[in-house]
Amino acid sequence: MALVFEFVWRLLHALLHLHRTLVTWFRSHLWKWNGRIWKRAVAALLVPIALGFPNHKKLAPTTGKRVGRRFRFGADGKALEKLPLHVGLLIAEEEPRYSDIANLVVWCMAVGISYVSVYDNQGVFRRNNSRLMEEILKQQQEQLGADGSKYSVEFLSNGSDKQDHQVLSCQAVVKVLSPEDGRQGIVEAAQKLCRAVEQRERAAKDIDVTVLDSLLRESRNIPDPDLVLKFGAVQSTLGYLPWHIRLSEFISLPTHANISYEDLLGALQSFAACEQRFGK
Amino acid sequence: MSWIREGDLNLIERISANILKAGPIPKHVAFIMDGNRRYARKRQVERQEGHSQGFEKLAETLRWCLRLDIREVTVYAFSIENFKRSKDEVDGLMELAKQKFTRLLEEQENLEKHGVCIRVLGDLTLLPLDLQEVIAKAVLATKTHNKCFLNVCFAYTSRHEIASAVREMAWGVEQGLIRPSDVSEALLSQCLYTSNSPNPDMLIRTSGEVRLSDFLLWQTSYSCLVFQSVLWPEYSFWNLCEAILQYQLSHRSLQKAREQHRESQALQQLEADRSCVAELLQHRSNGTPVDAQSRQEALHSYTASREERVRHFLGALQHKRDTFFSDLCSPAVVA
């Protein structure tokens, strides 16, 4: 009997994987055709996703219309009921695509989001920091053109946090994060506090949330993300800033590959509709 | 109004359960039971009734979990932030909790039969004393059971938990039990309220909200997060199956990520030990170079002594926590 159940289970998972693969394939190939019949067919295919896994946002077709979009960014940002201060881009996919991430960063800035962080759980972006920076600057030129000079981007890598002098004239901040900024950051703060206790500079009983929080802000001044956009099929935070995400809204998108501005805007609109009660 | 609803699944449910069990099943599931008040509004009943229905659903869900071989469940019953609610609602919730824990004490044989161990996690000193006493009795009464575990987070937020873990480690340093260099991710994990449980494999939040609301932020870094739009009192067996299916789809990637994290943790610990040893040898040898053999031996002995220190400290911490509960139960306190 157990064998029958196992067979059915394998069949079920094979079907789910097939479904997922088909949808990804349709998305990347057939949307370009723009034919109405194809759109309807794919919409029908996507319905099971909507039924089965309600949290995944469906991706809109990439219209490819760049003309006139430059003027929309600011207006779109103002049209939203609320805009996140800090958006975390959590890339839970195996192969990061720098141009797509750069697009996302540039669009976020253009819409009015002042702090964008980019994270992956293997520290790939941390290691390729300069490549990401180049890509972002390039996209900034392409997407925003003449307006691009209005937005100055500040790249914060780990060392430079300690000096605050860059903060003066920047419009937006891009920070690259890795798992070291999460749990390890908390452990470092804990070690500092324990050393202070050992030196009799502090009593153990005085350590509370406020003390730990301010110590964490001192070494890595990262504002709490209001919105975390997660890209990839894996449903997990994968070690992203555990202390900071206590009230973050998580919006999942299937992939960051070929992501369009409309997809980002859709996610921001969902965020604007979220209601926070803060425990009350 | 029992903690464990008797009654079994119907045929189709049993078949589905058996199919799911052919694949990986989470050993520990955490629930954010959200949506009681919206349910009450929807049904046009009192809020208190919504919370009561929520408790009923918890009992039913525990039954399903046991049937699916999920041995450990952690639930977010009351957040420290919830103290901000109206006095009436907070008092109502405290009263409901007291009723349920008292009922639990009455059901001891049933709990023993199912081997249920109940733990209550949070800053219990924030609760009314009579509730604290009932909780302490319930926790001590089920302490030795080990077939399945229910962790109820009451007066809990994750940040408070992490801060309290740091405070305990600082206490350890103050008492001379451990050194600041012994502080690591692993040690912090063992100082959290959840130290006796493995990290949750899956976290489910109902009612459509897509945030963690300060729940198990440290422990769920590599867990499968499932957000479902159903309101908690309307949660069904099929919702649970859907969540497990999601878990099974993410299982391999999460295992890989966890493995990578474990490896990097081990590496970090080794590096930390090495640098401590290097410092020690520097002091001892006064600048003369030490050969690789001695360095290796020193590393082994340092690691062994660090592990011994940590073991002793964790024993003292456990004793402190046990004493908190037994003090609440002792007649001296009541008098």
Side-chain angles (χ1 to χ4, degrees):
Chain A
M1 205 54 195
L3 286 170
V4 176
F5 291 131
E6 196 181 322
F7 174 74
V8 178
W9 182 82
R10 283 188 194 280
L11 190 65
L12 176 64
H13 276 265
L15 285 169
L16 285 169
H17 278 289
L18 183 68
H19 186 251
R20 198 186 261 179
T21 317
L22 275 173
V23 171
T24 320
W25 187 79
F26 267 123
R27 255 209 77 243
S28 54
H29 289 90
L30 297 178
W31 276 128
K32 291 181 194 156
W33 290 25
N34 241 352
R36 275 216 315 234
I37 305 166
W38 284 114
K39 269 194 188 162
R40 277 205 205 125
V42 180
L45 208 71
L46 285 175
V47 165
I49 286 191
L51 288 176
F53 303 105
N55 187 47
H56 250 106
K57 285 204 67 61
K58 296 190 284 293
L59 292 193
T62 33
T63 49
K65 285 193 224 136
R66 286 257 191 86
V67 180
R69 195 197 280 170
R70 284 180 193 169
F71 309 103
R72 281 172 51 193
F73 290 137
D76 286 337
K78 292 199 178 72
L80 291 168
E81 263 176 49
K82 59 175 175 170
L83 206 57
L85 270 131
H86 171 185
V87 171
L89 302 175
L90 205 167
I91 317 293
E93 288 176 280
E94 291 288 317
E95 283 152 32
R97 289 166 57 140
Y98 291 85
S99 54
D100 289 303
I101 293 164
N103 279 338
L104 283 164
V105 171
V106 167
W107 291 329
C108 283
M109 277 169 25
V111 151
I113 296 165
S114 49
Y115 199 108
V116 180
S117 59
V118 181
Y119 176 89
D120 78 295
N121 78 313
Q122 291 174 302
V124 171
F125 293 124
R126 173 60 62 78
R127 287 194 292 276
N128 295 289
N129 199 9
S130 43
R131 182 170 161 198
L132 185 62
M133 271 163 60
E134 268 171 42
E135 205 50 60
I136 292 176
L137 289 169
K138 179 173 139 206
Q139 289 300 335
Q140 200 182 347
Q141 268 302 103
E142 263 183 48
Q143 303 262 356
L144 304 177
D147 293 341
S149 54
K150 273 201 288 175
Y151 304 92
S152 62
V153 180
E154 204 59 55
F155 294 96
L156 297 182
S157 59
N158 223 9
S160 57
D161 271 40
K162 306 203 174 115
Q163 297 108 37
D164 252 47
H165 60 253
Q166 315 102 314
V167 194
L168 292 171
S169 63
C170 68
Q171 295 258 349
V173 170
V174 181
K175 181 128 172 76
V176 173
L177 298 171
S178 68
E180 290 153 18
D181 301 294
R183 286 184 178 182
Q184 195 51 33
I186 299 173
V187 168
E188 280 163 17
Q191 280 170 339
K192 259 192 214 143
L193 287 170
C194 286
R195 277 194 289 269
V197 166
E198 193 181 42
Q199 308 291 333
R200 306 266 182 258
E201 287 162 20
R202 199 187 265 283
K205 65 176 171 58
D206 294 333
I207 296 174
D208 62 10
V209 178
T210 330
V211 167
L212 189 52
D213 193 48
S214 49
L215 196 57
L216 281 167
R217 307 285 168 196
E218 245 178 63
S219 62
R220 287 179 178 88
N221 193 9
I222 306 169
D224 290 352
D226 307 274
L227 171 63
V228 175
L229 291 175
K230 195 187 64 63
F231 300 92
V234 183
Q235 302 300 332
S236 174
T237 56
L238 296 174
Y240 177 74
L241 298 181
W243 180 267
H244 299 75
I245 54 172
R246 71 178 176 124
L247 295 175
S248 311
E249 303 283 343
F250 286 88
I251 294 184
S252 270
L253 291 155
T255 178
H256 69 294
N258 298 317
I259 192 103
S260 73
Y261 171 70
E262 283 73 26
D263 297 326
L264 176 64
L265 193 61
L268 290 173
Q269 282 163 345
S270 297
F271 170 77
C274 285
E275 186 206 327
Q276 284 259 12
R277 292 176 294 277
F278 303 105
K280 286 214 270 286
Chain B
M1 288 292 202
S2 157
W3 280 73
I4 303 210
R5 278 268 284 267
E6 294 296 338
D8 208 351
L9 308 168
N10 66 35
L11 182 67
I12 305 179
E13 287 169 350
R14 258 181 286 151
I15 291 175
S16 309
N18 283 324
I19 293 172
L20 279 179
K21 285 203 279 191
I25 292 283
K27 296 187 195 59
H28 178 184
V29 177
F31 286 94
I32 300 181
M33 310 180 292
D34 201 7
N36 293 338
R37 292 185 296 177
R38 268 166 283 175
Y39 172 81
R41 255 202 310 273
K42 187 168 148 185
R43 291 291 157 104
Q44 289 169 335
V45 294
E46 286 293 312
R47 270 185 180 180
Q48 194 60 10
E49 179 60 25
H51 290 304
S52 204
Q53 288 294 324
F55 178 80
E56 288 308 299
K57 188 51 67 174
L58 172 60
E60 204 177 353
T61 307
L62 289 176
R63 186 82 202 156
W64 296 331
C65 286
L66 285 176
R67 195 62 185 73
L68 286 161
D69 277 342
I70 298 171
R71 297 277 148 198
E72 186 148 14
V73 172
T74 302
V75 297
Y76 201 5
F78 191 85
S79 163
I80 295 179
E81 302 292 322
N82 294 150
F83 279 116
K84 289 186 209 160
R85 295 185 181 178
S86 69
K87 185 172 185 311
D88 278 338
E89 192 176 344
V90 175
D91 287 345
L93 287 164
M94 295 294 142
E95 195 46 50
L96 180 67
K98 203 167 104 186
Q99 262 176 37
K100 297 306 174 189
F101 281 107
T102 312
R103 178 64 208 260
L104 194 149
L105 289 169
E106 291 162 15
E107 285 189 314
Q108 283 213 40
E109 294 110 50
N110 202 9
L111 292 169
E112 192 153 340
K113 171 175 140 205
H114 293 278
V116 185
C117 173
I118 306 241
R119 298 181 194 128
V120 180
L121 314 175
D123 189 357
L124 303 181
T125 59
L126 297 172
L127 302 172
L129 192 60
D130 55 354
L131 180 55
Q132 284 187 51
E133 284 166 9
V134 170
I135 286 175
K137 287 203 188 91
V139 168
L140 287 176
T142 57
K143 198 170 161 188
T144 52
H145 302 164
N146 62 0
K147 280 222 205 90
C148 55
F149 302 89
L150 171 63
N151 306 309
V152 182
C153 289
F154 217 86
Y156 173 97
T157 61
S158 194
R159 282 192 180 183
H160 273 82
E161 181 185 29
I162 296 171
S164 116
V166 175
R167 196 169 44 244
E168 300 292 12
M169 291 191 294
W171 169 77
V173 168
E174 224 169 41
Q175 301 293 312
L177 297 168
I178 49 168
R179 301 180 196 167
S181 57
D182 296 337
V183 170
S184 65
E185 248 188 71
L187 184 60
L188 204 153
S189 295
Q190 285 170 294
C191 294
L192 296 167
Y193 300 139
T194 56
S195 57
N196 292 320
S197 310
N199 288 336
D201 296 299
M202 176 163 69
L203 184 143
I204 298 173
R205 180 172 189 150
T206 55
S207 88
E209 304 295 350
V210 291
R211 48 184 181 262
L212 296 173
S213 297
D214 225 339
F215 184 56
L216 301 179
L217 300 173
W218 178 279
Q219 297 89 329
T220 55
S221 284
Y222 298 93
S223 310
C224 182
L225 301 180
V226 179
F227 296 108
Q228 297 180 291
S229 52
V230 60
L231 298 175
W232 175 251
E234 294 171 341
Y235 203 68
S236 76
F237 178 74
W238 301 110
N239 293 128
L240 184 57
C241 288
E242 184 193 322
I244 293 176
L245 214 57
Q246 285 248 40
Y247 167 79
Q248 291 180 337
L249 289 171
S250 290
H251 178 70
R252 234 176 257 149
S253 321
L254 285 177
Q255 244 188 343
K256 191 170 140 200
R258 251 180 253 140
E259 213 26 69
Q260 276 171 347
H261 180 75
R262 239 194 302 270
E263 275 167 21
S264 74
Q265 245 191 298
L267 221 71
Q268 238 158 14
Q269 183 67 78
L270 189 61
E271 275 316 300
D273 281 350
R274 277 216 178 100
S275 68
C276 285
V277 167
E279 227 180 280
L280 270 169
L281 290 176
Q282 189 86 328
H283 281 286
R284 267 188 227 157
S285 64
N286 285 332
T288 48
V290 185
D291 64 283
Q293 174 85 344
S294 316
R295 202 174 280 276
Q296 206 48 21
E297 281 168 12
L299 183 63
H300 278 304
S301 96
Y302 177 81
T303 306
S305 67
R306 176 180 54 76
E307 284 169 359
E308 182 53 40
R309 266 199 307 275
V310 163
R311 242 194 310 273
H312 186 59
F313 160 68
L314 291 174
L317 180 59
Q318 188 61 42
H319 180 76
K320 198 163 76 146
R321 288 179 170 163
D322 291 338
T323 316
F324 171 76
F325 282 115
S326 52
D327 280 350
L328 278 169
C329 288
S330 75
V333 176
V334 177

